[in-house]
Amino acid sequence: MSERKKTPRALVVDDDPTQRKLQSAALEQAGLIVSEAENGRVALDLLDDVQPTLILLDVEMPVMDGFDTCKAIRQQPDYRDVPIIMITGNGDTESIDKAYKMGATDFVAKPINWSLLSHRARYVHRAGDASFGLRESEAKNRAFIQAIPDTVLVIDRRSGEIERVGGGSNQAGDSLIMNKSRLTLDDLPKKLAASWRLQFEQVLATGQTHRGEFSRTEGDETKHYETRIVPFTANRLLVMIRDISEQKQTSARVYQLAYFDTLTGLPNRQSFLTELSTAIRCAEKNSTMLSVLYLDLDNFKRINDSLGHSLGDELLKTISQRIENCIRADDYVARLGKSQSHLHLARLGGDEFTILLTDLKSPDEPEAVANRITDAVCEPILQDGHEFVITPSIGIANYPEDGQDIDTLVKNADVAMYSAKESGKNSCRQYSGTMSVRSLEHLELEHSLRRAILNDDLELHYQPKLSLDNGRITGVEALLRWTHPERGAVSPAKFVPVAEDAGLIIDLSDWVLHTTCKQIKAWESGPLRNLPIAINLSGKQFKHSDMYRVVINAIQQYSIDPSTLDLELTESELMRDADGTIGTLTKLKEAGLSLIVDDFGTGYSSLSYLKKFPIDALKIDRSFVMDLDKSDDNLSICAAIVALAHSLNLRVIAEGVEAEDYVYLLRQIMCNEIQGYHFCRPCNAEDVARFVIEHMQQERSPVSIEQDIA
Amino acid sequence: MNSPTTVIDIKAIEQIRALQQPNGENLLGTIISLFIDESARLQGCIAEAIDNSDCDAVRQYAHSLKSCSANVGAVEVTSLSIALESAGRDGELASLNELMSRLQSNLKTAVSELQLLISP
């Protein structure tokens, strides 16, 4: 359209050359660029070259007269809207009528007043321009309305009449608008019509677009619509309706995923932190109290590890349901009769939950809530034919006295929870500033341990075992060492329980397994080839169904000889699920590994099982070896174990051998191997290699060499 | 304007002059030359049509001459063209020859009058 404005061009069509010339002169005076044609045929041929913005057509012409020419021009889409002025005879009303019928825009009667023609041309041209612009913008609007996924209505606010002006096929609100030919606001749902009427007034008063939403049940689903109400004329409004159901569902789903736990449907950690942050601000403003209850299920990780996650998940669902039931607001209000406190339950992850109490009415409330939750959780749960009694430990931290920000409150509630656990579990503790440093220590250890596993801050030390039968070193036991960056060496007795509590034991065992395999591989090409390394398997890992796979995969990964890997498991772990264990152990044994029962004598062995287990050796618990030279009882026990083992064709290893006297006694009772400070302390790979090689060299008397060769 | 004339309507000439662009070609001169050529052509066509007794052709050419002569204010030529057009339309062959001879003399006069208007 802008191009049209730059170059207004006229096409003058007349068979009379004087007429053409004069018309041209008149139009040029009006500022148009003029082309001429002596008849309609020529004019049609010239159209695309000239692209006229105004056409003057004589009625009577040879070849093709003005009417036919006008009609032919109008049939071309590009020239449908070009103004055409017909030049007619004076008083020839018939021609004038015909001209309009053929699509002429205007007429001028002869004789022509040339200066008037120039004005006329200018005016018609401008009007043509304007109407062209209008038509173009109408066309644009039509295309736009077709393209948008909205139902577009024009509503008259007085009559309530609704006109559907647009929208393609994919129409939101089809069901709402129905396919009635005549529709008014009264045909719409009453509530919707009433709210629209209000919004119409507002929109017309302010001239601002109103954006709203409404929902409807259509069939068995709820549909959501967005409306935009735009002022149109003084009494009419444009209402655009868009189906946003899908968008709503997606955002609800995203919200659900971001703020809710998928297993229990409870709010998650993120949700809890958001809630707590708001609650703290509110408590600060109104000088009210709030409380954070931190709940952890006692020994729950053991259930997960031993009975599988799916059962654990079921239990978690049941428990979260119970907690939810007992803190449900109505219930709670009813019980207390007066309190209006608000509670917010969230699952932080694993078996950890938080309960946020806001607007506390009494300082005793948190503990009352905690006790009710404890009672509810402790009720026996029947699941998969087993009865479970699961107890919670709950820590309480109050705002403002125990912390004034999110981090402090949550940390102190956590500390209080650990304190509750340490005091024997199944209890509830209120945080206090003097709360045992050990809880903090426990937390701190857990964090450091996680870091240590990631950073490879752990190390294996190795302690050789000596055969009393032939004086040779039969193998080494790998022992886990952790040097904490600040505390120095941390005893496994201290960090292994932390690892077990925190669910890190599997990671830890994996690390030990892989490091050992690497070491075996490293020794394979030197004098220490065939020197077995024993690793201690955690009972937790042992219950892990993939245990066999994990070990075999590691052996294959490092392509080591399976006979160089010994597994040690404690007696009590072995017996916990004796039937299940036998299968796994048998497969490992068949794969070529040696199996040693650790800490023998402290557990509760069934002799019949002991016979069934595919084991190679028993290791007498150090407590029996400890005072061997002073305690006749211990000596008797050790002798009995040796006798028992031998009767089952098992070797016997004594650990914790600290003095030469012990060695003598153990030799007396026919113990096969010893391990202990007396012979060699646990030391790193390099030192133990040196020790073993030296020992081998010393031992290589001519006799033993012969034995070797033999 | 150069000389008072009875065969040419001076108002028509004034209108043409009013369309003259300051630096454009001599519009009146052009129009008068165009008229002289066109009127001669049309006169020939009409004469031929009369010889052929083609009334519709007479009507058509006379119509053209009517518009053309009106533009230069050749009022008598215009009147005679109208008469010829209407006789052609009505098929009055009989009156055509008489009208034609009047047209010829009137056109001759008008052309010389017009030539005077544009002679330097």
Side-chain angles (χ1 to χ4, degrees):
Chain A
M1 203 177 99
S2 54
E3 205 174 324
R4 283 174 55 97
K5 274 181 179 162
K6 269 183 240 157
T7 54
R9 281 184 301 268
L11 179 60
V12 169
V13 192
D14 202 307
D15 59 323
D16 173 2
T18 60
Q19 186 75 14
R20 286 206 300 273
K21 190 70 202 170
L22 285 165
Q23 286 182 16
S24 298
L27 295 176
E28 274 163 7
Q29 204 175 48
L32 281 81
I33 297 165
V34 185
S35 303
E36 299 177 12
E38 66 263 34
N39 62 49
R41 175 67 55 211
V42 175
L44 289 175
D45 290 345
L46 277 176
L47 271 185
D48 284 340
D49 286 342
V50 176
Q51 297 191 17
T53 57
L54 173 68
I55 299 171
L56 263 64
L57 265 183
D58 188 24
V59 169
E60 185 132 359
M61 288 183 291
V63 186
M64 189 182 209
D65 73 13
F67 301 125
D68 290 345
T69 310
C70 186
K71 196 174 165 190
I73 291 172
R74 287 299 186 226
Q75 276 163 0
Q76 299 196 29
D78 286 350
Y79 303 100
R80 219 168 31 211
D81 304 323
V82 176
I84 298 177
I85 299 177
M86 286 286 237
I87 312 294
T88 65
N90 194 7
D92 185 358
T93 51
E94 201 184 316
S95 288
I96 293 168
D97 278 348
K98 198 168 174 193
Y100 280 123
K101 275 193 195 111
M102 293 300 158
T105 314
D106 200 357
F107 76 96
V108 171
K110 287 179 188 170
I112 295 168
N113 178 324
W114 300 109
S115 65
L116 281 185
L117 178 68
S118 118
H119 289 295
R120 192 77 163 262
R122 205 180 288 136
Y123 170 75
V124 168
H125 194 264
R126 206 169 37 224
D129 240 12
S131 73
F132 177 84
L134 199 62
R135 271 190 291 271
E136 194 175 67
S137 104
E138 265 175 11
K140 261 189 211 158
N141 288 344
R142 261 197 311 277
F144 179 65
I145 285 173
Q146 289 290 327
I148 57 172
D150 298 14
T151 297
V152 184
L153 310 174
V154 172
I155 302 180
D156 190 299
R157 100 179 139 138
R158 294 159 308 178
S159 64
E161 211 164 312
I162 300 174
E163 181 197 353
R164 185 168 177 172
V165 296
S169 53
N170 152 39
Q171 281 322 300
D174 265 351
S175 66
L176 180 72
I177 301 313
M178 298 166 281
N179 280 325
K180 278 196 173 180
S181 53
R182 195 173 177 283
L183 195 72
T184 73
L185 280 175
D186 297 331
D187 296 319
L188 299 187
K190 279 194 169 46
K191 255 175 89 179
L192 183 64
S195 90
W196 278 8
R197 280 185 203 279
L198 274 176
Q199 286 154 17
F200 290 170
E201 299 310 311
Q202 190 193 329
V203 165
L204 289 172
T206 62
Q208 305 272 314
T209 299
H210 180 277
R211 197 181 153 283
E213 284 180 15
F214 67 93
S215 306
R216 271 164 54 81
T217 307
E218 292 175 12
D220 49 2
E221 57 178 338
T222 301
K223 303 284 271 176
H224 299 274
Y225 296 106
E226 182 187 72
T227 53
R228 284 197 183 79
I229 302 177
V230 187
F232 188 48
T233 65
N235 287 302
R236 301 172 82 204
L237 298 109
L238 203 66
V239 178
M240 300 165 81
I241 308 172
R242 178 173 298 191
D243 187 343
I244 53 164
S245 308
E246 212 166 294
Q247 198 178 319
K248 280 266 173 191
Q249 275 164 13
T250 309
S251 59
R253 181 89 192 111
V254 167
Y255 180 81
Q256 184 74 24
L257 284 175
Y259 287 96
F260 290 86
D261 171 44
T262 43
L263 177 67
T264 61
L266 290 178
N268 64 8
R269 177 186 293 270
Q270 192 52 46
S271 175
F272 164 68
L273 294 177
T274 310
E275 194 78 13
L276 179 56
S277 158
T278 313
I280 289 175
R281 270 203 308 276
C282 188
E284 199 171 23
K285 204 174 95 196
N286 304 329
S287 306
T288 52
M289 286 192 295
L290 66 84
S291 184
V292 174
L293 274 60
Y294 202 113
L295 183 152
D296 186 281
L297 300 175
D298 299 328
N299 303 319
F300 194 77
K301 288 184 177 84
R302 193 172 295 162
I303 293 178
N304 260 341
D305 289 343
S306 56
L307 298 170
H309 282 275
S310 56
L311 182 110
D313 284 352
E314 286 310 311
L315 292 175
L316 276 177
K317 280 198 236 174
T318 308
I319 291 165
S320 61
Q321 191 61 53
R322 285 185 179 180
I323 303 175
E324 211 176 0
N325 285 345
C326 81
I327 66 159
R328 195 178 289 147
D330 292 349
D331 220 22
Y332 183 61
V333 171
R335 262 183 234 209
L336 290 191
K338 56 187 190 306
S339 173
Q340 292 292 312
S341 302
H342 293 98
L343 296 103
H344 178 270
L345 169 66
R347 181 182 174 219
L348 294 196
D351 58 341
E352 291 177 326
F353 297 84
T354 49
I355 298 103
L356 172 65
L357 279 80
T358 49
D359 216 7
L360 287 187
K361 294 290 178 283
S362 129
D364 303 331
E365 262 185 68
E367 206 172 326
V369 172
N371 288 337
R372 278 194 295 122
I373 290 172
T374 304
D375 290 348
V377 172
C378 287
E379 288 284 315
I381 304 173
L382 201 63
Q383 184 81 49
D384 293 0
H386 299 279
E387 192 179 74
F388 296 90
V389 174
I390 295 164
T391 56
S393 294
I394 302 177
I396 302 171
N398 295 330
Y399 172 92
E401 58 269 29
D402 300 334
Q404 281 156 37
D405 57 78
I406 297 177
D407 287 348
T408 314
L409 273 172
V410 175
K411 195 194 80 192
N412 287 345
D414 195 9
V415 165
M417 187 275 291
Y418 266 109
S419 167
K421 271 211 196 300
E422 277 177 0
S423 72
K425 305 187 171 167
N426 191 19
S427 64
C428 148
R429 277 291 170 89
Q430 169 82 48
Y431 176 80
S432 80
T434 57
M435 190 146 264
S436 84
V437 182
R438 282 187 60 202
S439 296
L440 267 174
E441 200 181 292
H442 190 103
L443 267 180
E444 200 269 327
L445 262 186
E446 185 184 318
H447 293 310
S448 314
L449 189 56
R450 280 182 204 279
R451 244 198 329 272
I453 294 172
L454 285 176
N455 298 349
D456 226 1
D457 283 346
L458 300 164
E459 197 186 1
L460 284 185
H461 279 195
Y462 303 90
Q463 189 172 39
K465 290 179 273 190
L466 179 72
S467 166
L468 294 179
D469 303 336
N470 59 20
R472 290 193 193 156
I473 290 175
T474 57
V476 296
E477 181 185 2
L479 297 160
L480 188 54
R481 292 290 179 264
W482 175 28
T483 310
H484 188 280
E486 285 130 37
R487 298 152 171 262
V490 185
S491 152
K494 201 160 189 173
F495 73 77
V496 168
V498 172
E500 287 182 343
D501 265 1
L504 290 171
I505 198 68
I506 306 275
D507 294 339
L508 216 51
S509 303
D510 271 354
W511 185 88
V512 170
L513 177 63
H514 282 262
T515 310
T516 302
C517 290
K518 259 186 258 177
Q519 191 59 65
I520 292 172
K521 190 71 190 167
W523 282 344
E524 211 174 52
S525 53
L528 299 189
R529 65 181 169 279
N530 303 330
L531 182 75
I533 304 182
I535 58 171
N536 293 278
L537 280 184
S538 159
K540 306 227 169 179
Q541 181 162 15
F542 201 72
K543 288 287 157 45
H544 200 259
S545 53
D546 288 341
M547 145 86 176
Y548 169 76
R549 268 286 113 216
V550 168
V551 172
I552 294 302
N553 283 350
I555 286 174
Q556 284 168 351
Q557 184 184 337
Y558 296 95
S559 62
I560 56 165
D561 180 356
S563 70
T564 52
L565 185 63
D566 294 352
L567 303 181
E568 294 193 10
L569 0 118
T570 67
E571 184 189 12
S572 44
E573 281 161 358
L574 207 58
M575 288 302 159
R576 195 175 292 146
D577 174 25
D579 285 327
T581 310
I582 286 176
T584 310
L585 290 186
T586 306
K587 283 201 284 180
L588 286 168
K589 177 75 189 167
E590 280 166 2
L593 284 85
S594 294
L595 306 169
I596 300 165
V597 178
D598 203 3
D599 298 345
F600 190 80
T602 54
Y604 209 54
S605 284
S606 151
L607 290 184
S608 64
Y609 272 122
L610 207 53
K611 205 177 147 193
K612 283 186 205 160
F613 281 129
I615 47 180
D616 296 278
L618 297 182
K619 194 183 258 188
I620 307 173
D621 188 71
R622 62 176 63 242
S623 61
F624 300 117
V625 181
M626 208 154 58
D627 292 321
L628 210 52
D629 55 339
K630 298 186 194 85
S631 159
D632 287 344
D633 286 350
N634 278 1
L635 187 58
S636 308
I637 292 169
C638 287
I641 294 173
V642 172
L644 170 72
H646 286 172
S647 74
L648 295 170
N649 283 322
L650 305 175
R651 288 181 291 129
V652 181
I653 306 158
E655 64 177 339
V657 178
E658 291 178 358
E660 181 62 36
D661 293 351
Y662 296 9
V663 181
Y664 173 76
L665 290 170
L666 288 166
R667 214 187 275 277
Q668 292 287 304
I669 60 167
M670 307 289 281
C671 179
N672 303 92
E673 294 169 34
I674 59 160
Q675 180 184 348
Y677 282 14
H678 168 66
F679 178 54
C680 180
R681 286 168 170 267
C683 49
N684 66 29
E686 201 182 322
D687 290 346
V688 85
R690 194 179 307 119
F691 179 87
V692 175
I693 290 167
E694 274 171 19
H695 183 86
M696 280 160 71
Q697 282 163 352
Q698 280 169 19
E699 185 209 338
R700 276 177 193 265
S701 59
V703 181
S704 56
I705 289 169
E706 269 167 34
Q707 277 176 345
D708 240 13
I709 293 164
Chain B
M1 217 203 240
N2 291 0
S3 62
T5 169
T6 49
V7 286
I8 302 298
D9 177 5
I10 205 66
K11 273 191 240 150
I13 302 302
E14 291 301 320
Q15 275 203 31
I16 295 172
R17 284 189 171 132
L19 290 176
Q20 177 65 47
Q21 297 275 30
N23 299 315
E25 58 174 337
N26 178 359
L27 184 64
L28 183 61
T30 310
I31 293 292
I32 288 173
S33 327
L34 281 173
F35 172 73
I36 293 170
D37 294 348
E38 183 69 2
S39 58
R41 187 182 73 83
L42 290 170
Q43 181 188 281
C45 291
I46 295 168
E48 199 185 323
I50 292 171
D51 286 349
N52 297 337
S53 304
D54 183 347
C55 286
D56 190 57
V58 174
R59 181 200 61 77
Q60 197 185 317
Y61 294 125
H63 175 85
S64 296
L65 187 58
K66 172 184 76 176
S67 139
C68 186
S69 56
N71 283 337
V72 292
V75 282
E76 279 303 313
V77 178
T78 307
S79 304
L80 285 166
S81 300
I82 291 170
L84 275 165
E85 187 187 7
S86 127
R89 185 185 300 118
D90 301 340
E92 293 166 7
L93 273 168
S95 57
L96 286 178
N97 282 323
E98 195 261 323
L99 285 170
M100 186 63 196
S101 66
R102 283 176 61 195
L103 175 70
Q104 279 169 338
S105 75
N106 269 289
L107 187 56
K108 205 175 169 186
T109 317
V111 165
S112 40
E113 289 277 338
L114 287 168
Q115 274 171 333
L116 275 178
L117 282 175
I118 54 168
S119 60

